[in-house]
Amino acid sequence: ETGVTQTPRHLVMGMTNKKSLKCEQHLGHNAMYWYKQSAKKPLELMFVYNFKEQTENNSVPSRFSPECPNSSHLFLHLHTLQPEDSALYLCASSLDFIAYNEQFFGPGTRLTVL
Amino acid sequence: AQKVTQAQTEISVVEKEDVTLDCVYETRDTTYYLFWYKQPPSGELVFLIRRNSFDEQNEISGRYSWNFQKSTSSFNFTITASQVVDSAVYFCALSEGSGRNQFYFGTGTSLTVIP
């Protein structure tokens, strides 16, 4: 595997389900990100981890819970979601959390909440 | 206020035409970084270019070229002799030089190249 991988690619869940999204990067990076992409809106940064420590939480509802066990893996735990949470969730990584570093993105998980 | 504006929501061109995608940004930082990404239908954002605020030299990479003008706070992207494979959503992003790698993305421009 190379780059940034995400599983699953598609997920359909009910409002009472609990599920997790997984992201893995094979680039030796130290910073990882979760973004939400909704139609006609800019990508929304949700969480940032730098060297496994959470550095950013952009007012994300508590029904989204991130976990970063090591610099290569990032999870997003989902519970009691709402239909408006349906979106493409993108994971990204960069060398570290410094302004000039480009971010490398995974293919995303298309989430549908019924 | 939005830090990055991509006023063109959708553009359609016929194959082999040139097309320019506009990006206007807003920042008070003197050091900042601008990026362009391509998102094909597969969903993955592909990094295309990074430009530093202190380097206004335009860049060309094959059929792609970028025009950075600080005077107008613009970082426009031109595709020459467009091809069907260029069909995608293109995003412009800003990262301010205050030390944190937080990207501000525009809403994207959806480009369709018609064969």
Side-chain angles (χ1 to χ4, degrees), chain B residues 20-36:
Chain B
T20 296
L21 310 182
D22 298 332
C23 173
V24 175
Y25 62 92
E26 180 182 337
T27 180
R28 293 185 177 183
D29 285 19
T30 54
T31 300
Y32 53 89
Y33 306 87
L34 296 163
F35 302 80
W36 273 97

Side-chain angles (χ1 to χ4, degrees), chain A residues 28-103:
Chain A
H29 290 167
N30 296 302
M32 297 188 75
Y33 311 76
W34 278 118
Y35 286 89
K36 175 182 179 182
Q37 184 178 24
S38 305
K40 308 299 183 184
K41 295 175 68 175
L43 273 73
E44 301 173 49
L45 179 64
M46 300 175 70
F47 302 103
V48 180
Y49 279 82
N50 194 36
F51 291 92
K52 301 187 297 179
E53 298 297 321
Q54 184 174 321
T55 59
E56 300 287 330
N57 176 343
N58 284 354
S59 303
V60 180
S62 59
R63 57 185 184 269
F64 295 91
S65 174
E67 178 189 1
C68 187
N70 56 61
S71 292
S72 298
H73 294 85
L74 185 64
F75 295 89
L76 187 62
H77 304 299
L78 317 170
H79 62 98
T80 60
L81 294 190
Q82 305 298 310
E84 59 265 29
D85 297 322
S86 298
L88 181 68
Y89 288 84
L90 291 162
C91 174
S93 71
S94 65
L95 185 59
D96 49 36
F97 194 47
I98 295 178
Y100 60 76
N101 285 319
E102 61 265 36
Q103 295 180 17

